[in-house]
Amino acid sequence: MGSHPSAPPGPPDVLPRDRATSSHLPFEQFYRDHVDRIHRALALAVGDTAVAREATDEAMARAYARWDRVRRLDNPGGWVFRVGLNWATSWWRKVRRERPPADDRHPATAAPDPAGMAARSALERLPTGQRTVIICRVLLDLSTAETAAVLDLTEGTVRSRLSRGLAELRAVLAEEE
């Protein structure tokens, strides 16, 4: 296996957007730089840290198996997030078919402060479409175009869901103050 020159590692909170940089990034470095951030985003999106961990692991395994193709994408981190989100959605559907929903659903993880808990609670109340757009735009710092590509939406739909979701978050958080 030939070696590729590695791109200088960026800060771990930045998803690589430069095709030249990400196409030479070794999978191990990509994994270290992105696994925690993708897990946090999936935990917020699906509302369950255990399912988010499994979804992250599955998505990373799929990225590893296809790394020659995935690393050439404009946003490999966005691809991994979408694969994890699809896996978690399929998992929830399977669970719902096999057993009735429980009333004692446990929250993902408690935020360390009341403001964080209020924000998480408000985010969990949003419709899934708005919640995933906000997670992509705010937590993953994806552009409107990248979010649209990752979620298979038009840019107008991304802007609309972001605007409505943020307005709803503001209203809910203002009520709680």
Side-chain angles (χ1 to χ4, degrees), residues 17-30:
R17 293 197 180 110
D18 177 12
R19 184 180 296 231
T21 301
S22 61
S23 68
H24 296 309
L25 189 66
F27 181 79
E28 295 79 10
Q29 183 67 43
F30 170 81

Side-chain angles (χ1 to χ4, degrees), residues 155-177:
E155 290 184 32
T157 300
V158 168
R159 286 189 292 272
S160 173
R161 287 182 181 178
L162 179 65
S163 175
R164 289 179 182 158
L166 290 175
E168 181 66 24
L169 281 177
R170 278 188 220 96
V172 169
L173 291 172
E175 286 175 11
E176 293 182 3
E177 287 182 356

Side-chain angles (χ1 to χ4, degrees), residues 25-44:
L25 189 66
F27 181 79
E28 295 79 10
Q29 183 67 43
F30 170 81
Y31 182 90
R32 280 191 302 271
D33 290 349
H34 297 89
V35 68
D36 290 335
R37 188 171 194 170
I38 290 169
H39 173 255
R40 286 191 310 268
L42 286 169
L44 283 171

Side-chain angles (χ1 to χ4, degrees), residues 54-150:
E54 287 185 50
T56 303
D57 291 346
E58 180 65 29
M60 284 293 190
R62 291 180 187 186
Y64 179 74
R66 298 166 179 84
W67 188 241
D68 283 342
R69 275 188 305 180
V70 172
R71 71 180 181 188
R72 289 181 178 87
L73 296 173
D74 287 334
N75 190 338
W79 184 91
V80 171
F81 173 76
R82 182 60 196 195
V83 168
L85 187 60
N86 289 347
W87 183 92
T89 301
S90 295
W91 185 88
W92 281 118
R93 285 182 187 140
K94 181 180 177 188
V95 166
R96 280 188 214 128
R97 281 192 309 265
E98 293 175 359
R99 64 179 180 201
D103 290 334
D104 60 343
R105 182 174 171 254
H106 300 286
T109 55
D113 64 294
M117 288 177 11
R120 170 177 244 127
S121 174
L123 189 61
E124 287 176 349
R125 287 192 231 163
L126 292 177
T128 303
Q130 290 176 0
R131 185 172 55 243
T132 55
V133 165
I134 290 171
I135 289 167
C136 285
R137 292 285 287 125
V138 177
L139 184 62
L140 295 177
D141 196 29
L142 301 181
S143 70
T144 299
E146 290 168 328
T147 300
V150 165

